[in-house]
Amino acid sequence: VTNGGKTTLAEKLKKILPNCDMISQDDFFKPESEVETDERGFKLYDVLDALYMDEMVKSIHNWMRSPASSGIVTEEPQNTGDNLKNTEDVYILIVEGFLLYNYEPLNELWNRRYFLTLPYEECKRRRSTRVYQPADTPGYFDGHVWPMYVKYKNELEENASNIVYLDGTKSQEELLSCVYTDIIQELKKLRE
């Protein structure tokens, strides 16, 4: 969901996990001139066609081919403790974005999937506090952003499995703890 805390959570995880890098879907938006406009004059940013998804997939595959040379700084992560011993040879890529699980070429790549949700009112409130370039036009949230979220979430629920749904109204600390704990469990499985 837009403004659900995806980037914040990903950035915090990147700081505390070893050998961790991040790719953000927002970095693959097409320029405004290439984004379609609907009959109401809304720029259709909340659809896959507004993104260079092939480029994103290439970036992920490039990282997967050579994670050690991807520019990751392999410094000691914060708050390590015993949880992360023997993970020096494991590299983690966090891919964050709002239309990741609806793009079939990416679905074979995920080890873990997390989906942040927000109720309509909270999402609208958060969205109204953000400044976008180009700026949201009046009615854009209700006329395009929220309906596209609902559409893609429904498609996701019908077609995808193994998704951990996270309540975006929880504190950043709670969300971080939940996902971090889950990733640590996955790392332990890799070591077995």
Side-chain angles (χ1 to χ4, degrees), residues 4-183:
K6 298 176 298 297
T7 304
T8 301
L9 177 59
E11 288 172 348
K12 288 179 182 233
L13 285 166
K14 183 180 175 192
K15 287 181 181 175
I16 62 173
L17 291 168
N19 301 327
C20 186
D21 206 357
M22 182 173 104
I23 291 177
S24 176
Q25 191 174 36
D26 285 352
D27 294 336
F28 296 89
F29 270 110
K30 292 177 180 176
E32 183 181 2
S33 61
E34 293 182 36
V35 176
E36 288 186 44
T37 304
D38 73 5
E39 66 280 353
R40 297 164 295 180
F42 294 145
K43 283 286 187 181
L44 303 180
Y45 279 104
D46 289 60
V47 298
L48 286 166
D49 286 342
L51 297 144
Y52 293 119
M53 291 302 295
D54 291 343
E55 293 300 316
M56 184 177 190
V57 172
K58 277 187 211 167
S59 293
I60 294 168
H61 281 291
N62 287 340
W63 184 92
M64 291 171 72
R65 273 192 287 283
S66 186
S69 64
S70 65
I72 294 175
V73 178
T74 55
E75 61 193 42
E76 279 297 306
Q78 300 170 6
N79 308 324
T80 54
D82 291 336
N83 286 334
L84 300 175
K85 285 185 178 173
N86 304 318
T87 58
E88 300 85 28
D89 57 343
V90 176
Y91 291 86
I92 301 168
L93 178 63
I94 298 170
V95 181
E96 67 91 15
F98 68 111
L99 289 174
L100 298 174
Y101 309 139
N102 300 85
Y103 191 66
E104 193 57 38
L106 289 175
N107 284 332
E108 65 196 43
L109 304 178
W110 311 126
N111 293 90
R112 302 297 292 155
R113 300 180 204 216
Y114 304 97
F115 189 93
L116 282 155
T117 63
L118 280 178
Y120 167 84
E121 289 298 332
E122 178 62 14
C123 186
K124 188 171 184 174
R125 185 193 67 73
R126 290 185 190 184
R127 178 83 181 205
S128 70
T129 65
R130 297 271 298 269
V131 177
Y132 289 92
Q133 283 302 327
D136 283 356
T137 56
Y140 187 66
F141 181 83
D142 288 317
H144 177 65
V145 174
W146 188 256
M148 288 297 99
Y149 163 69
V150 171
K151 175 185 183 277
Y152 285 115
K153 184 175 182 275
N154 288 338
E155 286 177 10
L156 178 68
E157 290 169 345
E158 288 175 22
N159 301 318
S161 59
N162 299 323
I163 295 175
V164 177
Y165 289 90
L166 302 169
D167 179 354
T169 63
K170 292 190 184 232
S171 73
Q172 291 178 5
E173 293 75 26
E174 284 178 278
L175 292 170
L176 180 63
S177 176
C178 174
V179 176
Y180 177 79
T181 300
D182 190 53
I183 292 171

